[in-house]
Amino acid sequence: NDKILVISFINYIVDDLYNSLPKDCKIYTLHKLAKIIIHRYLGFGLNFTSPLTNNFNMAWECDHTNICKDLIVLKKLNVDTKTLEFSLKTYFQTLSSKPAILSSYLELVSFYNVITFEDSIVRAIRALQKASVATFKKIVVDEYQDFDLAEQRLVKILFEKSEGGIIAGDDDQSIYSGRKADPFGFLALAEDNKWEKRTLP
């Protein structure tokens, strides 16, 4: 009854899962799910600190670069575009090292009514932290080793608001270190005694 959520990392894996699993499962990439969560809570002021309208767009890499260029000009920053992009992405991916320019960045993306994929995860976290009801009974997470720290935090909140589920991954197959994927998060989960069953090779 649409109460089983299945999450994976990239679209083609989601497509494979959609063709393999029962049709009453909800199967998404984590970023697609984040966008759904943001839409659900838009009217409650729970979408991070920058307002969006219902027809917001997801920013592509070139959009993010242009936003950073605009910020540098508007705020007369003495920093190059790549450095600013890196500091913002690092924050959104790790939830640490909060850049001083963050509030100005959020004002600008609000003006453009766009958010980045990384930003969507943080907004979804903020929304779910304040939400009281569980959305799904059981959750299955695939390719967990390729999630960064912020994405892992979103998965943790989803589990806290459900009846549990399964997390699967392979720390030897993590290939997304460039986007701060953290396979050690998967190993840390295996050490957590909250799990009913843990299986490691």
Side-chain angles (χ1 to χ4, degrees):
N1 296 325
D2 297 334
K3 287 297 185 182
I4 298 175
L5 171 66
V6 182
I7 303 167
S8 194
F9 182 63
I10 47 182
N11 286 321
Y12 82 82
I13 296 176
V14 166
D15 292 341
D16 285 346
L17 291 167
Y18 183 80
N19 292 324
S20 306
L21 295 173
K23 298 306 178 205
D24 56 353
C25 293
K26 293 294 186 185
I27 307 168
Y28 305 114
T29 63
L30 193 62
H31 292 104
K32 173 68 174 176
L33 178 65
K35 189 176 179 184
I36 291 168
I37 291 168
I38 293 166
H39 273 291
R40 180 172 295 172
Y41 291 104
L42 267 176
F44 297 94
L46 304 178
N47 62 18
F48 205 13
T49 56
S50 144
L52 298 168
T53 65
N54 266 313
N55 61 342
F56 71 85
N57 290 308
M58 301 302 293
W60 296 103
E61 193 70 28
C62 60
D63 299 322
H64 188 244
T65 301
N66 288 332
I67 289 167
C68 288
K69 286 178 180 176
D70 288 352
L71 262 181
I72 290 169
V73 172
L74 289 168
K75 297 296 179 179
K76 300 183 173 131
L77 301 177
N78 187 23
V79 64
D80 63 275
T81 307
K82 291 287 181 195
T83 302
L84 181 57
E85 279 188 276
F86 181 78
S87 68
L88 286 165
K89 281 195 170 187
T90 298
Y91 169 70
F92 285 123
Q93 292 168 340
T94 64
L95 300 179
S96 63
S97 304
K98 187 175 181 180
I101 196 68
L102 182 63
S103 60
S104 297
Y105 169 83
L106 291 172
E107 285 175 17
L108 195 55
V109 296
S110 176
F111 173 77
Y112 289 134
N113 202 36
V114 297
I115 55 174
T116 64
F117 287 101
E118 292 88 0
D119 186 352
S120 71
I121 296 296
V122 179
R123 289 174 190 267
I125 288 171
R126 297 286 189 267
L128 286 183
Q129 281 175 331
K130 297 181 182 180
S132 57
V133 295
T135 306
F136 296 96
K137 283 189 177 178
K138 299 287 183 183
I139 300 173
V140 179
V141 181
D142 186 33
E143 303 293 335
Y144 188 81
Q145 78 279 354
D146 289 324
F147 291 164
D148 62 37
L149 290 171
E151 291 161 348
Q152 290 175 17
R153 176 67 183 138
L154 179 54
V155 169
K156 184 173 185 237
I157 294 172
L158 288 167
F159 267 76
E160 287 169 355
K161 295 182 179 294
S162 72
E163 295 176 4
I166 298 168
I167 292 180
D170 183 348
D171 64 296
D172 286 333
Q173 290 188 19
S174 183
I175 58 174
Y176 292 98
S177 59
R179 56 173 301 282
K180 303 285 190 300
D182 184 13
F184 295 105
F186 184 65
L187 295 173
L189 278 182
E191 301 299 321
D192 192 333
N193 289 323
K194 292 177 184 173
W195 295 96
E196 186 175 311
K197 183 177 181 181
R198 295 163 289 162
T199 303
L200 286 177

